[in-house]
Amino acid sequence: MTVDAHVHVWDITGGKFHVEYDWLTETSDVLYQSYTLDDLEPQLGEHEIGALVLVQASDSLAESHALLDAAATAPCPAGVVGWLPLHDPDRTAAELTRLRQPGFAGVRHMIHRDPDPAYLLRPEVSRSLALLAEAGLSFDAVAETLELLAQVPVIAAEHPTLSIVLDHLGKPPIAAGEWQPWADLLAAAAAPPNVVAKISGLATVSGPGFTAADWQRYVDHALEAFGPDRLMVGGDWPFTLTTASYSEVWRATLGTLAGLSPSDRSTVLSGTASRVYKLPAPAGIFHSHSEGVSA
């Protein structure tokens, strides 16, 4: 079984929760449309996806509720990484009480889009991160710049009991074929034992027609730095559709893991995500409704 630990859904009409995605108007026509799990469902069985993690794409409480609603009717077990107003610890504490329900596994803020590049380092945000740790929730760090990647070990040291998930391996410079300073910053982020990382989002930083070979040394570096028990995988759908299909992403991802032992491969594909996000065990490998569900 594979856990797709990075999936987005959104409704550009606002939907019943009235979620706004202002940044979507600045993106491609591929992304500026609504995406639901019904659109993704037919492809899950093909890749033996047995569980999902739905990740926020709007810094809004409305979307947290929309994601929980989507997870409740998902075709397989699904956790949610939602949003909380981390810059306001009192509000964060109050909203934690309202949002704590099965499936709410973690929190993310779009730090890569926040006008304050030091958002994560604010004292008030640190107090909120402490609340997440106390609640047993994780924090997804979408550290897509070198400056943000350098902040990951800082907050990890401040909050040693908080599970911090580095999204997209910190966006390695694959298309340019570059290595430093990303490689050293990734190793520094991996040094604290409470940081894990996602092999995800690599298609959008790759050149056209990428293959597993284009990703291999970056993934190998992550494997060396984190080890299999602190790595997970994600399809980054539908963002990936700007450059590649869901199937192309999974072919490349699985290709980079081909050299692992069966045990280590299983850990990266499902074990780490299941542990960090406290996902319920699926009854079996998911297939589309037309195929049924195996025992």
Side-chain angles (χ1 to χ4, degrees), residues 37-47 286-289 291:
L37 289 180
D38 287 340
D39 301 314
L40 182 61
E41 180 181 350
Q43 301 174 77
L44 298 179
E46 176 186 353
H47 303 289
F286 169 77
H287 296 283
S288 64
H289 289 329
E291 296 172 303

Side-chain angles (χ1 to χ4, degrees), residues 11-46:
D11 185 344
I12 62 172
T13 70
K16 68 179 181 179
F17 292 97
H18 307 291
V19 184
E20 295 184 1
Y21 299 92
D22 293 342
W23 60 268
L24 270 174
T25 60
E26 304 169 4
T27 60
S28 68
D29 291 341
V30 172
L31 294 181
Y32 191 60
Q33 54 187 290
S34 297
Y35 287 97
T36 71
L37 289 180
D38 287 340
D39 301 314
L40 182 61
E41 180 181 350
Q43 301 174 77
L44 298 179
E46 176 186 353

Side-chain angles (χ1 to χ4, degrees), residues 124-144:
E124 61 271 25
V125 171
S126 182
R127 291 196 293 273
S128 290
L129 293 177
L131 293 174
L132 300 188
E134 291 172 11
L137 298 173
S138 61
F139 174 73
D140 265 50
V142 54
E144 295 193 357

Side-chain angles (χ1 to χ4, degrees), residues 174-175 201-215 240 242-253 256:
I174 297 173
L202 303 187
T204 54
V205 289
S206 299
F210 65 84
T211 67
D214 297 304
W215 295 2
T240 186
T242 58
T243 56
S245 70
Y246 192 66
S247 291
E248 288 169 330
V249 167
W250 281 110
R251 281 197 296 272
T253 301
T256 64

Side-chain angles (χ1 to χ4, degrees), residues 96-231:
L96 265 177
T97 302
R98 298 185 182 97
L99 286 170
R100 285 314 304 270
Q101 55 184 281
F104 192 74
V107 173
R108 188 175 90 149
H109 178 80
M110 298 178 77
I111 56 174
H112 60 309
R113 295 183 180 276
D114 196 282
D116 181 3
Y119 179 91
L120 272 184
L121 305 180
R122 293 183 188 178
E124 61 271 25
V125 171
S126 182
R127 291 196 293 273
S128 290
L129 293 177
L131 293 174
L132 300 188
E134 291 172 11
L137 298 173
S138 61
F139 174 73
D140 265 50
V142 54
E144 295 193 357
T145 67
L146 297 174
E147 292 75 17
L148 291 174
L149 184 53
Q151 294 172 15
V152 171
V154 176
I155 64 169
E158 290 177 354
H159 303 282
T161 62
L162 175 66
S163 291
I164 298 170
V165 183
L166 173 62
D167 290 348
H168 313 321
L169 293 186
K171 289 289 186 176
I174 297 173
E178 296 176 355
W179 188 247
Q180 296 290 8
W182 168 84
D184 283 349
L185 289 171
L186 187 81
N194 54 318
V195 179
V196 302
K198 290 181 186 178
I199 303 171
S200 62
L202 303 187
T204 54
V205 289
S206 299
F210 65 84
T211 67
D214 297 304
W215 295 2
Q216 193 66 60
R217 71 169 179 152
Y218 300 95
V219 173
D220 285 347
H221 182 56
L223 282 164
E224 181 179 358
F226 287 95
D229 61 340
R230 290 197 289 140
L231 283 175

Side-chain angles (χ1 to χ4, degrees), residues 6-96:
H6 208 92
V7 173
H8 300 282
V9 293
W10 57 66
D11 185 344
I12 62 172
T13 70
K16 68 179 181 179
F17 292 97
H18 307 291
V19 184
E20 295 184 1
Y21 299 92
D22 293 342
W23 60 268
L24 270 174
T25 60
E26 304 169 4
T27 60
S28 68
D29 291 341
V30 172
L31 294 181
Y32 191 60
Q33 54 187 290
S34 297
Y35 287 97
T36 71
L37 289 180
D38 287 340
D39 301 314
L40 182 61
E41 180 181 350
Q43 301 174 77
L44 298 179
E46 176 186 353
H47 303 289
E48 297 187 335
I49 306 298
L52 304 170
V53 178
L54 307 183
V55 179
Q56 65 92 229
S58 172
D59 291 341
S60 71
L61 290 167
E63 198 205 25
S64 295
H65 291 285
L67 292 177
L68 286 167
D69 187 64
T73 58
C76 55
V80 167
V81 173
W83 181 85
L84 286 171
L86 300 178
H87 54 280
D88 187 335
D90 290 338
R91 280 186 65 206
T92 291
E95 295 298 341
L96 265 177

